[in-house]
């Protein structure tokens, strides 16, 4: 289960699909048997109860629909990062060259693994302006009744760039993760509306910052790199 954070969601989809198919099949079998034997006096068969049977049929259809939506959601959230259960470092930002004459700022963005080590293959260079960086992270939480389906919420890095202080010059921003949050009906049922957290930091050439995510307090923090 640790290797697949969507294990519970997929298991729920399978179990719900089996239950939904059973309900629909049960009603269909009852109706079929009643139609075949209703004119036979030698067969004692139960009468069709329209309200009960239609209710079971509708319930089965809803359960199957939820199973399909859960499976689609599990596929769409495969590439999203799982929100940690406690405060943890999720990225590092290295300040390359800061040229005050040309107002040019070079940044290197590194996601990290659960142990806090950089992932070089996912390095993203960012070219912007100013002397202050701004990182935007989007966090998606499970709705209350469905929290047990996931190991935690999800998060994704939205963008990194300079900070717009309202002076008229809008710094360039780099989109870090083009994949958006799922917008299906199932995502609306299972997940809360995504929240954007942003953090700003004044920087100097050579600085390295650690980005920390605290799901309990809902805080995104930037700290000076502690080494390692």
């Amino acid at each position: 289960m640790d290797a697949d954070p969507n294990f519970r969601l997929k298991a729920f989809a399978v179990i719900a699909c089996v239950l939904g198919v059973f309900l629909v099949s049960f009603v269909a079998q009852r109706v079929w048997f009643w139609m075949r034997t209703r004119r036979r006096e030698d067969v004692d068969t139960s009468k069709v109860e329209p309200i009960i049977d239609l209710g079971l049929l509708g319930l089965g259809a809803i359960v199957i629909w939820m199973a399909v939506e859960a499976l689609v959601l599990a596929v769409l959230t495969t590439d999203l990062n799982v929100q940690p259960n406690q405060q943890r470092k999720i990225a590092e930002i290295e300040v390359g060259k800061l040229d005050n004459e040309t107002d040019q700022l070079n940044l290197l963005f590194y996601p990290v693994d659960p142990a806090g080590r950089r992932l070089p293959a996912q390095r993203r260079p960012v070219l912007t302006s100013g002397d202050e960086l701004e990182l935007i992270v989007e966090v998606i939480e499970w709705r209350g009744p469905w929290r047990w389906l996931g190991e935690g919420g999800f998060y994704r890095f939205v963008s990194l760039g300079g900070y717009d202080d309202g002076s008229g010059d809008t710094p360039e921003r780099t989109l870090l993760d083009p994949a958006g949050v799922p917008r299906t009906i199932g995502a609306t049922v299972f997940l809360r509306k995504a929240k954007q957290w942003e953090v700003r930091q004044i920087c100097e050439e050579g600085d390295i910052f650690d980005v920390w995510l605290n799901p309990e307090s809902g805080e995104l923090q930037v700290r000076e790199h502690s080494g390692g």
Side-chain angles (χ1 to χ4, degrees):
M1 184 158 53
D2 292 335
D4 186 359
N6 284 333
F7 174 82
R8 295 178 189 172
L9 184 60
K10 294 176 181 178
F12 169 79
V14 173
I15 295 173
C17 184
V18 172
L19 177 60
V21 170
F22 169 77
L23 291 173
V24 173
S25 300
F26 174 75
V27 174
Q29 183 269 341
R30 272 176 51 84
V31 173
W32 177 83
F33 186 72
W34 175 77
M35 291 182 66
R36 292 289 301 272
T37 60
R38 60 178 177 169
R39 299 183 184 278
R40 294 180 55 178
E41 298 180 355
D42 59 327
V43 177
D44 185 16
T45 181
S46 60
K47 296 182 179 180
V48 172
E49 300 289 343
I51 296 178
I52 297 178
D53 290 335
L54 287 176
L56 291 176
L57 187 64
L59 179 61
I62 292 175
V63 172
I64 292 175
W65 170 78
M66 290 187 64
V68 173
E69 290 291 344
L71 186 59
V72 170
L73 182 62
V75 173
L76 294 178
T77 56
T78 299
D79 296 331
L80 292 177
N81 300 299
V82 177
Q83 187 174 322
N85 295 325
Q86 57 187 358
Q87 183 172 258
R88 179 170 67 82
K89 184 172 75 171
I90 59 173
E92 289 185 14
I93 301 175
E94 183 175 341
V95 181
K97 185 177 181 181
L98 175 59
D99 193 333
N100 293 323
E101 294 183 1
T102 60
D103 195 30
Q104 188 177 73
L105 175 63
N106 294 332
L107 304 170
L108 285 176
F109 176 81
Y110 293 91
V112 300
D113 61 19
R117 297 184 296 264
R118 290 183 178 183
L119 300 174
Q122 299 183 28
R123 181 184 68 173
R124 294 293 302 275
V126 176
L127 177 62
T128 184
S129 58
D131 61 353
E132 189 172 1
L133 62 85
E134 181 181 51
L135 173 67
I136 297 178
V137 175
E138 198 165 47
V139 177
I140 309 102
E141 301 280 355
W142 291 96
R143 292 190 183 275
W146 305 109
R147 288 179 181 173
W148 59 275
L149 288 177
E151 297 298 325
F154 303 96
Y155 71 92
R156 72 182 187 101
F157 302 105
V158 179
S159 64
L160 174 64
Y163 172 57
D164 185 5
D165 57 4
S167 61
D169 297 330
T170 303
E172 293 184 7
R173 308 192 63 81
T174 296
L175 188 64
L176 299 175
D177 187 357
V181 179
R183 302 296 183 186
T184 62
I185 298 177
T188 303
V189 172
F190 293 106
L191 301 175
R192 298 180 185 274
K193 185 178 180 181
K195 297 179 181 179
Q196 283 196 349
W197 295 347
E198 55 188 43
V199 65
R200 306 182 185 99
Q201 177 67 44
I202 297 176
C203 50
E204 296 181 359
E205 186 173 332
D207 285 345
I208 300 177
F209 299 106
D210 297 333
V211 181
W212 290 75
L213 177 63
N214 189 337
E216 295 182 359
S217 62
E219 291 181 350
L220 189 65
Q221 299 177 345
V222 171
R223 307 174 186 173
E224 290 188 8
H225 184 59
S226 57

